[in-house]
Amino acid sequence: MTAAVSKPNNAIDAVGLTKIYGSGNTEVVAMRDATMHVSQGEVVALLGPSGSGKSTFLTSVGLINSPTCGQISIGGRLIQDGETAHVNLRSFRRQHIGFIFQKSNLIPFLSAVENIQIAMELNGESKRAARQRALTLMDYLGVADRADNLPSMLSGGQQQRVAVARAIANQPSVILADEPTAALDGHRGRQVMELFAKVAHEQGAGVIVVTHDHRALDVFDTIYEMEDGLLRQQSSHSLAAQSQAD
Amino acid sequence: MNLATKDIRHNLGRFALTAVGIGMLLMVVMGMGGIYRGVVEDATLLIDNVGADLWIVQRDTRGPFAELSRVSSNLVYRAKAIPGVQTSREFVYHTIQRQRGGTPVRIAVLGLSCPTDRGEWIPLTAGRPLGQAHFEMIVDRTLGMPVGEQLTLGKETYTVVGITSNMISSGGDGLAFFTIADAQAIQFETPGEAVRLERAARESRGEDFELAIQQPMILDNAFRPSAQLPGVARPQVSAVVVTLLHGTDVESVAETISGWGDVSVFTATEQRELLLKGSVEKVRRQIGLFRVLLTVIAAIIMALILYTLTLDKIHSIALLKLIGAPNSVILGLILQQALILGFVGYGIAYLLGQQLFPKFPRRVILADSDLLQLAAIVLGISVLSSFLGIWKAMKVSPNEALS
Ligand SMILES: Nc1ncnc2c1ncn2[C@@H]1O[C@H](COP(=O)(O)OP(=O)(O)OP(=O)(O)O)[C@@H](O)[C@H]1O
Ligand SMILES: [Mg+2]
């Protein structure tokens, strides 16, 4: 339906993404012709019921899970066209994309601070500088006192915050978060959302956050909703209604 | 940041246990190699220590270490008469199994031609060489007899006067050194009743004998020791060992002796070869094969361990891929752990072996060349066996971090 539109000042251009899992009898169309443009500094919320395809969309945009068809451009550059990748996805992810996933985000044998450090060290940062920045981020997220603990010794919410710190550590141009605040209380959840907004505005990153937490929707610039694999943008009217309903 | 050591520290107990397991396995491999060396060394030790240039044995036999060999003891004088021969000694060697304190003990009996040879060449760890012509012995440490212990063999009682170590027969039995006369007495020891029966038989044979009928006195001879009987062979020895004067051509002396119809002659090198190719060959091959088998098993077990170690980390590996870690980082993680495991295992094997091997009934010799060879093998195994894990890690998709 849409031609591949990508503007240089867009952080993310996902055009006509379709994902079909399996084949024949077991075929599942998890995502159907999904299109989304996120400009630099924009923070997008993605809502939708369970199984609607939110994670599928996010992992496609995050270059982890190639779509069956459709194009993904990051920073105006075509990266993925259907199942064909135009760059080394792994090193592209390392440099440009920060992730927070629904669960088990951290490497169990590394301490909290090392989990953040490793992302920066892989990106060529010196050990010292990486540790310094990791501690600063942890301090900002209120988990600095847990720096040397293993993930298994952290609460779910603390783990999520460490994952947030790791996702933004390399100052990525794209941040993708799949229910990052599910394990956090209202206040902390809001704080994390505000942090995303801050990073987006300061670094010009495009941010997509899957959330069920309607209380913090006002932080977002745009709201999309997914249902049965179909993606559509919500009008600002229904947005206000939704905020009120909570 | 070194991921391999971080992971090991996180799973220290498990890793240590695995390393000990691998260490013990490698210790067995190491021990097999050491036993192999020990068998070869022990087999040739006696030949080397006796220091003979030539061994004269019964015609067409392969000498006392391979089979039963009997030569007349007067062969000593025949050999001595050959130009170039420096010394010529009787050699008596046979193995006995007796009961000592309720447990069976196998002793390789070796006769020294006292008084020229009192066993001065035997390295003693305690006591002294033989001091008298009878009833003394020097024993190997493995026989477990202290100086002063008395052992009754046949009709006589022998006292331990010296202890030596690492004097083992090719069969693995400890050596005991006696004088030739004692060694023969032990070998040909006959119970009193058997002697009496033999003398009675002799007498009755003599009664039918023409000469005895004419000269009845001749029958008295029947009751004398067989050694004193006219026309009866003297007690025999296993072999005669000969040393040559410096500068004498071994081959030419051997040539001369091989002309005698009743004996065969071997040089020390030939005797060594005979032993290695003969009596210890099967043991050697058996142990060698076992060693190869154990090495293969160690490789398979290590591969499985490294594979499961990788499986345990598969989620972390997927996560690393997800955050963009290049393959080299993941490969390094697995390979380094494999090498650390191999290295630590080898160290444990070595240290454990140092403690345990001396307690083995047979000698375990850890030669430097064998240790180096094993180290190289362990290195190879570590690298090869990590391939299975690496293959698994390369195959995992970053997606798996999400489930
Ligand atoms: N690997 C897969 N193989 C087959 N089907 C899959 C796979 N992953 C997801 N699906 C299917 O695709 C559909 C969308 O799944 P997805 O995980 O994107 O939903 P979601 O919106 O993230 O749900 P939730 O809110 O529960 O996380 C579901 O019907 C799911 O069963
Ligand atoms: Mg999901």
Side-chain angles (χ1 to χ4, degrees), chain A residues 94 113-125 130 165-167 169-170, chain B residues 1 320 323:
Chain A
R94 183 170 69 229
V113 67
E114 284 165 349
N115 260 288
I116 304 167
Q117 237 178 296
I118 184 83
M120 286 184 273
E121 283 185 31
L122 287 174
N123 213 18
E125 193 71 74
R166 185 186 59 201
N170 281 330
Chain B
M1 188 182 317
L320 280 167
I323 63 170

Side-chain angles (χ1 to χ4, degrees), chain A residues 51 53-56 102 178-179 210:
Chain A
K54 305 182 298 293
S55 295
T56 304
Q102 257 174 306
D178 200 346
E179 299 188 45
V210 172

Side-chain angles (χ1 to χ4, degrees), chain A residues 18 40 47 64 102 112 116 150 166 170 195 198 203 219 235 237:
Chain A
T18 297
Q40 291 175 4
L47 307 174
I64 295 165
Q102 257 174 306
I116 304 167
L150 289 173
R166 185 186 59 201
N170 281 330
L195 175 67
K198 183 169 174 251
Q203 296 174 16
V219 175
S235 65
H237 169 74

Side-chain angles (χ1 to χ4, degrees), chain A residues 90 93-94 105 108 114 121, chain B residues 1 6 319 321 324-325 327:
Chain A
R90 219 187 287 177
R93 282 202 299 270
R94 183 170 69 229
N105 266 299
E114 284 165 349
E121 283 185 31
Chain B
M1 188 182 317
K6 297 272 181 203
L319 199 56
K321 284 186 172 185
N327 280 341

Side-chain angles (χ1 to χ4, degrees), chain A residues 29-42:
Chain A
V29 184
M31 177 169 69
R32 227 183 274 269
D33 201 14
T35 296
M36 183 193 282
H37 300 279
V38 182
S39 53
Q40 291 175 4
E42 186 179 357

Side-chain angles (χ1 to χ4, degrees), chain B residues 53-54 78-88 241-254 256-257:
Chain B
D53 292 315
L54 289 173
R78 272 158 69 194
K80 187 85 178 76
I82 300 173
V85 170
Q86 186 181 30
T87 65
S88 161
V241 295
V242 166
T243 59
L244 301 179
L245 287 170
H246 195 72
T248 312
D249 181 26
V250 181
E251 292 304 323
S252 72
V253 177
T256 311
I257 298 173

